[in-house]
Amino acid sequence: MAVVETRDLTKVFKEGQLGAVNHVNLETREGEFLVFLGPSGSGKTTLLRMIAGLETPTSGEILIGGQVVNDLSPRERRIAMVFQSYALYPHLSVYKNIAFPLKAQNVKKELHKEKVEWAASLLGIGALLDRKPRELSGGERQRVALARAIVREPAVFLLDEPLSNLDAKLRASAREELERFHRRVGTTTIYVTHDQVEAMAMGDRVMVLNKGVVRQLGTPTDVYDNPADTFVATFLGSPPMNLAELGDVIVGFRPEHFRPAPTISDAAVPFRFKVENIEYLGSEWIVSGTLVGEKLEGKKVFSRLSSAQNLQLGCMYDFAVPQSYLKFFDRSSEKRVAPRVVSWH
Amino acid sequence: MAKGISRRFWGKLVHVLVLTTFTILLAFPFYWMLITSFKQNLDLYTMENNPFLFNTKPTLDHVKFLFTETRFVRWLGNTAFVGVVVVAITLVLAVPAAYSLARLSGRWGERLGIGIFLTYLVPPTLLFIPLSRVVAYLGLQDSLWALILVYPTFTVPFSIWLLMGFFKSIPKELEDAAMVDGLTRFGAFVKLVIPISVSGILTVVIFTFTLVTQEFVYALTFISSESNQMIGTGIPIFLVRGDVYYWGALMAACLIASLPIAFMYNLFLDRFIAGFTVGAVK
Amino acid sequence: MALASNKIKSIGAAQSPLLGAAMFSPAVLYILLLVGGPFFLAIFYAFSDARIGNAEMHFVGLENFRSILQSPSFRVAIRNSFIFTICSQIVVTVGANILAISLEKTFRGRGLIRFLILLPWVAPIALGAIGWKWILDSIYSVITWALVAVHIYKPFSAPMWLGEPRLAIASVLLVHSWRLMPFSTVILLAGRTAIPKDIPEAAAVDGAGFWRTQLQIVIPMMRPIISVAVLFGLIFTFTDMTVVYILTAGGPFDSTQTLPSLAFALGIQGSDLAAGAAISLFLVPLLVIIAYFMLRVAHRAEVN
Ligand SMILES: Nc1ncnc2c1ncn2[C@@H]1O[C@H](COP(=O)(O)OP(=O)(O)O)[C@@H](O)[C@H]1O
Ligand SMILES: [Mg+2]
C-alpha cells in the first residue's frame, strides 16, 4: 500500500492552450478511497493517466510511496488500472486475462493458478475462467477487469469510470460490491467519475475538478454541506443549490432547506414563493417556482419536499430557509466567505 | 531522471533507424530511376565512376530521346484510352450491381457478393490462354479492344466489392424517406444514392484506372505490334532494341509513368485498403 | 390501417427482387462469360491437344498432365513457385509488421515516408521490375559497384546477379518481397489502428514491456488482418509472372521459371495451348485453399 502525491502537476496538450490539468496538488491517505469528481472534460482522466504513467506531465511531480515516479514507466509504478472500456484482451480467456499481469511481472509460474483463483473467487467469477471476454455480460467484464487489477496486489488502484458502461440497475449493485471489495483489500484507490451519486456514496474523500483545477478536496459531507465555491455548490446536489445575488455576496441554500415556513421553528429567512411546477419523484417532490417581492423578485428556485400534496400550481405560499443553512460566497471570486448579515429587502 | 531520458533516446534512435532503412530499401529503385534518367551515357557506362553521383553534367538527352525517338507518347495515349473506356464499362456494370447486392437482394445478394469477390482471386495467369483464343475468335488480336473486353474481368469484381461496402454504410432510412416522399426505388438510387456515393464511385474510378495501368499479362499476350502497346508492356519490351537496353530512356519512362499513378493511388489508399480487409477491420 | 401498413412494407422493408436482378445481372452475366467461360475452356484445353494455328482438336485424356509431370522444367517451376511464394511471404510479413509498428504513431514527415514506402506497390510492377533489372545489371550493377568499393569483390570478379541460378532465384525473391511489403504494411497498419488504444495501455500498466505487448497482445489480436494480408500476398506472388518474365524471362536455363511463366512460355510463345492450360490449372488447388480461408476470415469478422 502506498500514498499517491502530486505536486503542482500540470498537463498542457497544445502549447498556448488552457491546460487539461492545472497545478494539481493532492495527497491520498493510506488505504483511502479517493474520488475525482467533475463534469466531462474537466481533466479527471488526464490526471489519472499521468499518475498511471500513460501520459507525460508538462510540469510537476508525481510521487508514489514517497518516491518520484515521473520517469518510471507504468510497469514500474506498481499500480493497477481499470479502464472505462475495461480493456480486456479479447483473444485471451478470462483465466489468461487475469494471469497476464503475473506473467508480465515474472511471477513464478507455480503461483499463477493459486493467485488467479484467489482473485477470481474474491470477485465471484470462478466459474467464468474458460470464457472469452466477448462471451461475458457487462457486469462480468467489469469484474474480470477488477480481478486482473487485484491479482498482482498493487500498491495503488486507479479506476476510470468503471461503472459508466453498465445499465442503471446493475450500476447500483456494482457500486456496492466495489465498496465491499475495497473494504476487504484496503488498497489505496483513486476512482474517477462524473456521477455525484457514485462519488458521495463511495468516496472517503472527494476531489472536485473543473477545467483542470481542483475546486475542493474533502469528505462527501464536507463538499456537500460546505462547498468551497459556487461551482462545487451547484455541481453537487440535484436540483442544485439555489443561488441569489445580493450586493457583493451570493447567498446559497439547498432545495431541501427551502420549506414551507410553518414547518420551521428556528430563526429563518422568510420568502414569498409562487409555485410554477411540481414533479413527483416517488419518495420526494421537487417544487420549482419564483420568489416574489423586492430584490429577489422573479428569482427561480427549487424546493425539495417529502410531501407537496397541499401545494397548488400558480398559488403563492410562505416559505423560509433556516438561518444556519445559508451559505455565503464572494461575488467576484465565487469563493465561500463567512456568514454575514445581508439585507433581503 | 537520466534513466528515463536515455530510454526515450534509444527508443527514438531505433525508430529512426528502422524507418530510414526500410524507406531506403523500398524507395531506392525509384531514386535510381531518377538519377539514371539524367546521366550522360558516358557517365552511366564508365565502371570506375561512382554511380551515386553525377560525374559529368546532368542531361535531358534521355527524356528527349524518349519523347521523340520512341512510341512512348503513343503508349501513354493507348493506356489512357483503354483506362477511360474500362473505367466507364466498370462503372456501368459495377455500380448498379453493387447497389442491388447490398440492398435489394437480401441474404442471396450477400452470397452472390462473396462469390463475385472470389472471382477477383482468379488470376489473369489462369485465364490468359483460353482468353487468347476468345480474342482470336473475335478477331481482336493486337487490338486495344481486346484489352477493353477483358480488363473488366478483374476491375468489375473488386469494384462491386468496394461499392457494396460503401452502399451498406448509407443509412436505409434515407432511401425510405425518399421513397415515402414519392421517388421510386430506382429513382432513389439515381437521384439520392449515387450523388451521396460520389466519393465511393471516385475511388472505384481511380482504382480501376490504376489496375489498368498496372496490368501486364493480358497486354503481353494479346498485343503484338509496337504502336498498340500499353506502358506496362511497351516500356520494358519495346525500349530494348535487340540486346541493347537504353537504360537512361528506360528509367525516365518508368519514372514518368509511375509517379502519377503512385500519386493517385496514394490519395485513395485508405479506401482501397477497406476493400482488401474483408471486414476483418472494423 | 391494414392497407397503410402493407404499403409501408412494400416501400421500405421488403426487397425488390426483380429490380435487383435487373441491376446485377449484366455484371454477373459478364463475369460468367469472361471468367467462368474461359475457366472451363482452360480445363477443356488441358485434356486436348489444342495448338495455336491448328483448327483441329482431339481429346487426349490425361496425356498432357502425364508429360508435364515428367518434364524437369515443370518440376523446377512448381518448386520455384512455392519457394518464391512462401519465402517472400515470410520476409514480407516480418518486415511489414516492423514497418507498421514504426508508422503507427504520427510524426513529422509521416505522409512523405508513407508515399515513398508505398511506391513499390502502387507503381506498375513491370516498371519496378525493369528498374531492378538495371540495378542488378551484369556489368553496371550499383550493388556490384558498392561491393567492389568496399573490397568484398575484386573488379570484374563479382557475380552476375541474374546470370547464376541461385542468385537469380534470390533476386526474384527479393523483388517479390520488395513489391509486396508496402501492401502488407498498409493492411497491417489499418489493423493496428483499429485496436482500441487502451488495450496496449492496459498491457503497459499490467507490467508488459514493448515486446510482450506486441507479441502476446497486439499481434495475436491482429490475427485476422494478418491472415488477410498473407492470403492476398500468397495469391499475388503465386500467380504472378511479370517479375520473372522481365527480370530473367525464366532463365538462366529455366532455373527461375514459375508455373505462370512456364505456362506462358509453352502455351503462348511455344503455341502449345494444351500444355500451357494444363500447367496453369496447377494454380487452382492453392487458389481454392486460399479462397476457403478468406471466406473463413470474412465469416468470423461477420460473427464478431
Ligand atoms: N490526447 C489528447 N490530446 C489533446 N487534448 C486532450 C487529449 N486528451 C484529453 N484532452 C483534452 O483535455 C481535457 C480533459 O480531458 P479528460 O481528462 O479526458 O477529461 P475527463 O476525463 O474529465 O472527461 C479535455 O478538454 C480534452 O479535450
Ligand atoms: Mg474521462
Side-chain angles (χ1 to χ4, degrees):
Chain A
M1 259 181 279
V3 163
V4 176
E5 254 182 283
T6 69
R7 297 195 183 143
D8 222 22
L9 197 60
T10 297
K11 176 74 188 184
V12 181
F13 279 109
K14 259 203 208 111
E15 236 171 294
Q17 276 182 357
L18 221 60
V21 171
N22 299 303
H23 307 287
V24 170
N25 288 291
L26 77 91
E27 188 176 345
T28 67
R29 297 181 185 143
E30 203 59 63
E32 165 179 53
F33 197 109
L34 176 66
V35 177
F36 293 172
L37 173 67
S40 131
S42 58
K44 308 177 297 288
T45 299
T46 308
L47 182 52
L48 197 74
R49 287 168 56 85
M50 284 196 283
I51 294 170
L54 296 171
E55 206 83 69
T56 323
T58 310
S59 65
E61 282 185 338
I62 303 157
L63 293 86
I64 297 179
Q67 185 198 0
V68 177
V69 295
N70 281 41
D71 283 314
L72 297 188
S73 62
R75 61 193 296 214
E76 293 161 320
R77 297 189 182 194
R78 297 193 50 230
I79 42 141
M81 183 159 169
V82 175
F83 292 74
Q84 188 167 358
S85 62
Y86 310 137
L88 299 181
Y89 310 126
H91 61 299
L92 299 181
S93 66
V94 168
Y95 180 92
K96 287 191 171 161
N97 260 283
I98 302 175
F100 185 78
L102 301 174
K103 244 164 79 181
Q105 291 178 335
N106 300 319
V107 174
K108 269 201 247 105
K109 197 127 200 172
E110 306 89 80
L111 299 176
H112 287 195
K113 195 163 183 306
E114 184 191 326
K115 283 182 179 264
V116 170
E117 277 165 6
W118 165 76
S121 68
L122 201 61
L123 287 146
I125 47 170
L128 307 176
L129 291 178
D130 292 328
R131 300 232 196 127
K132 287 277 177 70
R134 67 163 178 279
E135 299 161 345
L136 302 176
S137 71
E140 289 166 342
R141 282 178 203 185
Q142 187 239 345
R143 282 185 231 185
V144 174
L146 273 173
R148 189 176 71 183
I150 186 71
V151 71
R152 80 200 99 150
E153 299 170 58
V156 179
F157 261 137
L158 307 176
L159 298 97
D160 190 356
E161 314 222 9
L163 304 185
S164 63
N165 283 338
L166 304 181
D167 59 53
K169 213 167 183 179
L170 204 53
R171 208 178 298 168
S173 67
R175 193 172 79 205
E176 205 186 299
E177 229 168 75
L178 255 176
E179 286 173 82
R180 217 175 316 134
F181 170 75
H182 175 251
R183 276 199 295 277
R184 253 171 95 175
V185 298
T187 309
T188 309
T189 301
I190 299 181
Y191 183 101
V192 164
T193 182
H194 66 268
D195 180 344
Q196 46 168 316
V197 180
E198 267 175 35
M200 302 294 283
M202 303 170 83
D204 291 328
R205 286 191 302 162
V206 176
M207 186 170 99
V208 184
L209 277 161
N210 187 35
K211 296 187 180 152
V213 176
V214 178
R215 293 309 189 97
Q216 190 169 7
L217 174 55
T219 61
T221 10
D222 245 358
V223 290
Y224 189 78
D225 292 342
N226 302 308
D229 57 24
T230 53
F231 173 79
V232 179
T234 48
F235 187 68
L236 287 167
S238 156
M241 184 181 273
N242 298 307
L243 293 180
E245 294 177 3
L246 284 169
D248 57 354
V249 290
I250 299 170
V251 182
F253 49 90
R254 294 247 173 238
E256 57 269 33
H257 300 137
F258 182 60
R259 299 204 309 257
T263 63
I264 302 174
S265 50
D266 306 344
V269 181
F271 295 99
R272 285 292 284 168
F273 178 50
K274 184 173 174 211
V275 173
E276 285 166 355
N277 191 33
I278 300 177
E279 282 176 4
Y280 174 56
L281 299 182
S283 62
E284 60 184 22
W285 301 73
I286 306 293
V287 182
S288 65
T290 48
L291 298 181
V292 180
E294 300 177 43
K295 276 193 187 165
L296 295 176
E297 173 74 45
K299 173 76 193 164
K300 180 154 177 129
V301 290
F302 289 95
S303 165
R304 186 212 299 270
L305 300 171
S306 52
S307 164
Q309 267 145 340
N310 43 6
L311 298 182
Q312 293 213 334
L313 283 182
C315 294
M316 253 169 344
Y317 297 93
D318 281 321
F319 267 56
V321 181
Q323 199 86 52
S324 55
Y325 288 124
L326 292 174
K327 312 289 170 201
F328 297 84
F329 304 89
D330 182 74
R331 185 159 170 191
S332 53
S333 70
E334 302 194 336
K335 295 250 186 291
R336 204 144 74 85
V337 293
R340 59 187 65 180
V341 180
V342 291
S343 86
W344 294 92
H345 304 288
Chain B
M1 204 77 196
K3 195 180 162 199
I5 287 174
S6 79
R7 188 172 45 204
R8 231 168 284 156
F9 172 78
W10 286 113
K12 221 172 214 153
L13 187 72
V14 170
H15 186 223
V16 169
L17 279 180
V18 167
L19 271 182
T20 323
T21 313
F22 273 101
T23 311
I24 290 175
L25 283 177
L26 291 169
F28 179 76
F30 297 92
Y31 164 75
W32 210 238
M33 289 173 191
L34 183 72
I35 198 165
T36 304
S37 307
F38 298 110
K39 272 192 183 181
Q40 297 187 12
N41 274 334
L42 183 71
D43 189 0
L44 281 178
Y45 303 126
T46 304
M47 289 180 65
E48 289 73 36
N49 285 351
N50 180 342
F52 293 96
L53 307 173
F54 284 101
N55 298 282
T56 57
K57 271 206 315 211
T59 174
L60 282 175
D61 287 353
H62 301 307
V63 181
K64 271 188 211 140
F65 173 83
L66 184 66
F67 279 94
T68 53
E69 311 279 315
T70 72
R71 312 302 295 271
F72 181 64
V73 177
R74 175 73 191 255
W75 301 334
L76 285 179
N78 288 346
T79 307
F81 170 69
V82 173
V84 168
V85 179
V86 171
V87 164
I89 294 175
T90 302
L91 287 182
V92 168
L93 290 178
V95 174
Y99 180 73
S100 155
L101 297 183
R103 274 295 155 77
L104 305 180
S105 321
R107 193 83 207 136
W108 236 83
E110 201 126 306
R111 288 196 197 127
L112 207 52
I114 288 175
I116 284 179
F117 175 72
L118 290 182
T119 62
Y120 179 69
L121 305 183
V122 177
T125 42
L126 183 59
L127 302 179
F128 69 99
I129 288 178
L131 278 175
S132 72
R133 292 293 83 201
V134 172
V135 164
Y137 177 78
L138 296 173
L140 295 175
Q141 303 107 306
D142 196 23
S143 155
L144 292 176
W145 291 101
L147 302 181
I148 290 169
L149 174 73
V150 166
Y151 280 179
T153 54
F154 54 86
T155 63
V156 167
F158 198 77
S159 299
I160 291 181
W161 181 252
L162 261 178
L163 284 170
M164 271 175 75
F166 207 86
F167 289 140
K168 275 186 190 156
S169 70
I170 298 175
K172 267 201 178 76
E173 290 77 18
L174 228 56
E175 290 152 69
D176 290 346
M179 285 186 287
V180 171
D181 289 346
L183 288 180
T184 61
R185 183 45 105 164
F186 191 72
F189 168 65
V190 173
K191 294 205 180 113
L192 184 76
V193 175
I194 289 186
I196 295 178
S197 314
V198 165
S199 76
I201 291 172
L202 198 60
T203 309
V204 165
V205 169
I206 303 291
F207 190 75
T208 302
F209 197 84
T210 55
L211 278 184
V212 168
T213 60
Q214 292 178 336
E215 208 285 324
F216 182 77
V217 176
Y218 290 141
L220 182 70
T221 312
F222 304 153
I223 308 292
S224 45
S225 65
E226 184 173 352
S227 58
N228 284 343
Q229 295 298 324
M230 304 279 281
I231 50 164
T233 45
I235 294 170
I237 292 163
F238 287 89
L239 280 184
V240 183
R241 300 277 154 82
D243 240 2
V244 183
Y245 285 81
Y246 296 90
W247 284 116
L250 250 175
M251 292 299 111
C254 286
L255 204 63
I256 293 169
S258 298
L259 285 185
I261 298 167
F263 268 116
M264 282 200 292
Y265 203 116
N266 205 50
L267 285 181
F268 287 80
L269 184 73
D270 296 332
R271 297 253 182 73
F272 304 142
I273 293 308
F276 278 108
T277 52
V278 209
V281 167
K282 291 263 165 67
Chain C
M1 193 66 204
L3 198 78
S5 75
N6 243 342
K7 187 155 187 190
I8 285 170
K9 204 168 163 204
S10 75
I11 292 176
Q15 281 117 19
S16 331
L18 265 181
L19 178 62
M23 284 170 82
F24 72 62
S25 40
V28 170
L29 213 62
Y30 174 88
I31 288 170
L32 282 179
L33 274 178
L34 279 146
V35 178
F39 179 68
F40 287 105
L41 204 54
I43 297 175
F44 179 68
Y45 283 154
F47 292 94
S48 77
D49 62 352
R51 294 187 63 85
I52 294 178
N54 192 347
E56 269 180 51
M57 222 193 292
H58 308 93
F59 179 74
V60 296
L62 291 172
E63 183 52 41
N64 289 316
F65 292 98
R66 191 169 326 133
S67 66
I68 285 170
L69 286 170
Q70 280 165 0
S71 101
S73 56
F74 173 77
R75 276 188 229 143
V76 172
I78 201 158
R79 184 203 66 188
N80 284 342
S81 277
F82 277 99
I83 290 181
F84 292 153
T85 307
I86 293 168
C87 295
S88 70
Q89 275 317 295
I90 294 171
V91 175
V92 164
T93 306
V94 172
N97 266 297
I98 296 173
L99 201 47
I101 292 174
S102 25
L103 281 171
E104 190 178 2
K105 269 191 252 143
T106 48
F107 52 87
R108 254 205 4 244
R110 181 164 169 263
L112 177 69
I113 298 248
R114 195 182 82 160
F115 176 73
L116 291 175
I117 281 174
L118 269 171
L119 281 173
W121 172 252
V122 298
I125 177 58
L127 306 186
I130 200 90
W132 276 104
K133 197 177 169 84
W134 171 226
I135 292 173
L136 298 168
D137 189 78
S138 55
I139 304 171
Y140 303 106
S141 163
V142 54
I143 298 178
T144 304
W145 186 90
L147 292 176
V148 170
V150 297
H151 300 293
I152 290 179
Y153 287 108
K154 290 206 182 68
F156 303 105
S157 71
M160 305 229 284
W161 306 111
L162 300 174
E164 294 166 28
R166 273 162 183 273
L167 287 175
I169 286 176
S171 302
V172 174
L173 193 53
L174 169 81
V175 176
H176 271 304
S177 311
W178 170 81
R179 138 116 160 141
L180 273 182
M181 195 164 310
F183 171 75
S184 191
T185 302
V186 285
I187 298 232
L188 296 189
L189 204 52
R192 221 160 241 287
T193 34
I195 294 179
K197 229 179 80 211
D198 42 10
I199 297 261
E201 286 180 352
V205 172
D206 281 346
F210 172 81
W211 289 108
R212 188 186 296 275
T213 307
Q214 291 302 326
L215 296 178
Q216 294 183 1
I217 304 291
V218 176
I219 291 180
M221 276 181 73
M222 286 169 60
R223 230 182 62 187
I225 197 70
I226 294 178
S227 336
V228 167
V230 169
L231 292 173
F232 271 109
L234 290 174
I235 290 200
F236 290 147
T237 329
F238 195 65
T239 65
D240 179 80
M241 68 165 264
T242 311
V243 173
V244 169
Y245 184 83
I246 288 186
L247 226 47
T248 65
F253 323 114
D254 275 356
S255 64
T256 54
Q257 212 70 272
T258 61
L259 289 178
S261 69
L262 190 64
F264 183 81
L266 293 182
I268 302 294
Q269 291 173 323
S271 301
D272 190 348
L273 289 174
I279 290 172
S280 60
L281 280 186
F282 278 87
L283 298 172
V284 173
L286 191 86
L287 290 177
V288 170
I289 293 171
I290 290 177
Y292 167 76
F293 280 108
M294 203 80 101
L295 288 184
R296 242 178 51 162
V297 172
H299 181 69
R300 287 239 179 101
E302 204 175 311
V303 169
N304 290 341

